[in-house]
mmCIF file of all heavy atoms in Angstrom:
data_model
loop_
_atom_site.group_PDB
_atom_site.id
_atom_site.type_symbol
_atom_site.label_atom_id
_atom_site.label_comp_id
_atom_site.label_asym_id
_atom_site.label_seq_id
_atom_site.Cartn_x
_atom_site.Cartn_y
_atom_site.Cartn_z
ATOM 1 N N ASP A 9 8.029 6.425 17.245
ATOM 2 C CA ASP A 9 7.599 5.109 17.699
ATOM 3 C C ASP A 9 6.128 5.089 18.008
ATOM 4 O O ASP A 9 5.749 5.402 19.139
ATOM 5 C CB ASP A 9 8.410 4.710 18.925
ATOM 6 C CG ASP A 9 8.231 3.253 19.284
ATOM 7 O OD1 ASP A 9 7.836 2.477 18.411
ATOM 8 O OD2 ASP A 9 8.481 2.911 20.443
ATOM 9 N N PRO A 10 5.271 4.686 17.130
ATOM 10 C CA PRO A 10 5.367 4.602 15.668
ATOM 11 C C PRO A 10 4.953 5.934 15.057
ATOM 12 O O PRO A 10 4.335 6.756 15.728
ATOM 13 C CB PRO A 10 4.348 3.511 15.339
ATOM 14 C CG PRO A 10 3.272 3.697 16.370
ATOM 15 C CD PRO A 10 3.983 4.180 17.611
ATOM 16 N N PRO A 11 5.252 6.136 13.772
ATOM 17 C CA PRO A 11 4.801 7.370 13.125
ATOM 18 C C PRO A 11 3.272 7.425 13.132
ATOM 19 O O PRO A 11 2.626 6.418 12.896
ATOM 20 C CB PRO A 11 5.315 7.248 11.690
ATOM 21 C CG PRO A 11 6.362 6.194 11.734
ATOM 22 C CD PRO A 11 6.006 5.281 12.867
ATOM 23 N N LEU A 12 2.723 8.568 13.447
ATOM 24 C CA LEU A 12 1.275 8.724 13.499
ATOM 25 C C LEU A 12 0.758 9.040 12.099
ATOM 26 O O LEU A 12 0.981 10.126 11.577
ATOM 27 C CB LEU A 12 0.905 9.834 14.483
ATOM 28 C CG LEU A 12 -0.562 9.954 14.866
ATOM 29 C CD1 LEU A 12 -1.102 8.626 15.411
ATOM 30 C CD2 LEU A 12 -0.730 11.031 15.898
ATOM 31 N N LEU A 13 0.082 8.064 11.504
ATOM 32 C CA LEU A 13 -0.435 8.198 10.144
ATOM 33 C C LEU A 13 -1.950 8.145 10.145
ATOM 34 O O LEU A 13 -2.560 7.538 11.022
ATOM 35 C CB LEU A 13 0.058 7.056 9.260
ATOM 36 C CG LEU A 13 1.526 6.973 8.912
ATOM 37 C CD1 LEU A 13 1.774 5.766 8.020
ATOM 38 C CD2 LEU A 13 1.999 8.236 8.224
ATOM 39 N N TYR A 14 -2.510 8.732 9.109
ATOM 40 C CA TYR A 14 -3.953 8.680 8.875
ATOM 41 C C TYR A 14 -4.190 8.314 7.421
ATOM 42 O O TYR A 14 -3.349 8.586 6.566
ATOM 43 C CB TYR A 14 -4.602 10.032 9.183
ATOM 44 C CG TYR A 14 -4.491 10.431 10.622
ATOM 45 C CD1 TYR A 14 -3.454 11.251 11.050
ATOM 46 C CD2 TYR A 14 -5.411 9.971 11.560
ATOM 47 C CE1 TYR A 14 -3.338 11.599 12.389
ATOM 48 C CE2 TYR A 14 -5.302 10.321 12.896
ATOM 49 C CZ TYR A 14 -4.263 11.137 13.300
ATOM 50 O OH TYR A 14 -4.137 11.472 14.627
ATOM 51 N N LEU A 15 -5.346 7.717 7.168
ATOM 52 C CA LEU A 15 -5.771 7.425 5.808
ATOM 53 C C LEU A 15 -6.815 8.448 5.385
ATOM 54 O O LEU A 15 -7.678 8.811 6.179
ATOM 55 C CB LEU A 15 -6.415 6.038 5.728
ATOM 56 C CG LEU A 15 -5.514 4.842 5.885
ATOM 57 C CD1 LEU A 15 -6.340 3.559 5.890
ATOM 58 C CD2 LEU A 15 -4.474 4.791 4.786
ATOM 59 N N ALA A 16 -6.724 8.869 4.148
ATOM 60 C CA ALA A 16 -7.730 9.771 3.581
ATOM 61 C C ALA A 16 -7.977 9.333 2.144
ATOM 62 O O ALA A 16 -7.029 9.008 1.427
ATOM 63 C CB ALA A 16 -7.236 11.213 3.609
ATOM 64 N N PRO A 17 -9.226 9.310 1.728
ATOM 65 C CA PRO A 17 -9.480 9.017 0.308
ATOM 66 C C PRO A 17 -8.773 10.061 -0.552
ATOM 67 O O PRO A 17 -8.718 11.236 -0.182
ATOM 68 C CB PRO A 17 -10.994 9.159 0.172
ATOM 69 C CG PRO A 17 -11.538 9.107 1.555
ATOM 70 C CD PRO A 17 -10.455 9.593 2.462
ATOM 71 N N ILE A 18 -8.215 9.628 -1.665
ATOM 72 C CA ILE A 18 -7.666 10.609 -2.608
ATOM 73 C C ILE A 18 -8.869 11.234 -3.300
ATOM 74 O O ILE A 18 -9.665 10.539 -3.941
ATOM 75 C CB ILE A 18 -6.707 9.965 -3.626
ATOM 76 C CG1 ILE A 18 -5.503 9.343 -2.911
ATOM 77 C CG2 ILE A 18 -6.244 11.020 -4.642
ATOM 78 C CD1 ILE A 18 -4.553 8.591 -3.830
ATOM 79 N N ASP A 19 -9.014 12.541 -3.127
ATOM 80 C CA ASP A 19 -10.172 13.246 -3.682
ATOM 81 C C ASP A 19 -9.740 14.624 -4.158
ATOM 82 O O ASP A 19 -8.542 14.927 -4.231
ATOM 83 C CB ASP A 19 -11.306 13.312 -2.642
ATOM 84 C CG ASP A 19 -10.929 14.057 -1.374
ATOM 85 O OD1 ASP A 19 -9.934 14.844 -1.374
ATOM 86 O OD2 ASP A 19 -11.618 13.885 -0.361
ATOM 87 N N GLN A 20 -10.722 15.482 -4.439
ATOM 88 C CA GLN A 20 -10.395 16.803 -4.988
ATOM 89 C C GLN A 20 -9.600 17.676 -4.022
ATOM 90 O O GLN A 20 -8.914 18.597 -4.440
ATOM 91 C CB GLN A 20 -11.664 17.517 -5.436
ATOM 92 C CG GLN A 20 -12.633 17.838 -4.315
ATOM 93 C CD GLN A 20 -13.911 18.457 -4.844
ATOM 94 O OE1 GLN A 20 -14.090 18.616 -6.042
ATOM 95 N NE2 GLN A 20 -14.795 18.812 -3.938
ATOM 96 N N SER A 21 -9.639 17.371 -2.728
ATOM 97 C CA SER A 21 -8.919 18.195 -1.759
ATOM 98 C C SER A 21 -7.441 17.844 -1.651
ATOM 99 O O SER A 21 -6.650 18.666 -1.168
ATOM 100 C CB SER A 21 -9.565 18.070 -0.373
ATOM 101 O OG SER A 21 -9.311 16.792 0.188
ATOM 102 N N ASN A 22 -7.038 16.640 -2.076
ATOM 103 C CA ASN A 22 -5.644 16.247 -1.841
ATOM 104 C C ASN A 22 -4.973 15.559 -3.037
ATOM 105 O O ASN A 22 -3.849 15.088 -2.907
ATOM 106 C CB ASN A 22 -5.567 15.317 -0.620
ATOM 107 C CG ASN A 22 -6.309 14.018 -0.810
ATOM 108 O OD1 ASN A 22 -6.779 13.704 -1.901
ATOM 109 N ND2 ASN A 22 -6.431 13.252 0.251
ATOM 110 N N TRP A 23 -5.633 15.501 -4.175
ATOM 111 C CA TRP A 23 -5.059 14.750 -5.284
ATOM 112 C C TRP A 23 -3.732 15.325 -5.754
ATOM 113 O O TRP A 23 -2.831 14.588 -6.133
ATOM 114 C CB TRP A 23 -6.048 14.596 -6.447
ATOM 115 C CG TRP A 23 -6.328 15.836 -7.226
ATOM 116 C CD1 TRP A 23 -7.301 16.750 -7.003
ATOM 117 C CD2 TRP A 23 -5.610 16.299 -8.374
ATOM 118 N NE1 TRP A 23 -7.241 17.760 -7.933
ATOM 119 C CE2 TRP A 23 -6.205 17.501 -8.787
ATOM 120 C CE3 TRP A 23 -4.518 15.817 -9.095
ATOM 121 C CZ2 TRP A 23 -5.745 18.232 -9.887
ATOM 122 C CZ3 TRP A 23 -4.060 16.538 -10.188
ATOM 123 C CH2 TRP A 23 -4.678 17.728 -10.574
#
Side-chain angles (χ1 to χ4, degrees):
D9 192 21
L12 191 55
L13 292 180
Y14 296 95
L15 289 175
I18 298 176
D19 61 19
Q20 64 184 2
S21 71
N22 63 8
W23 71 270

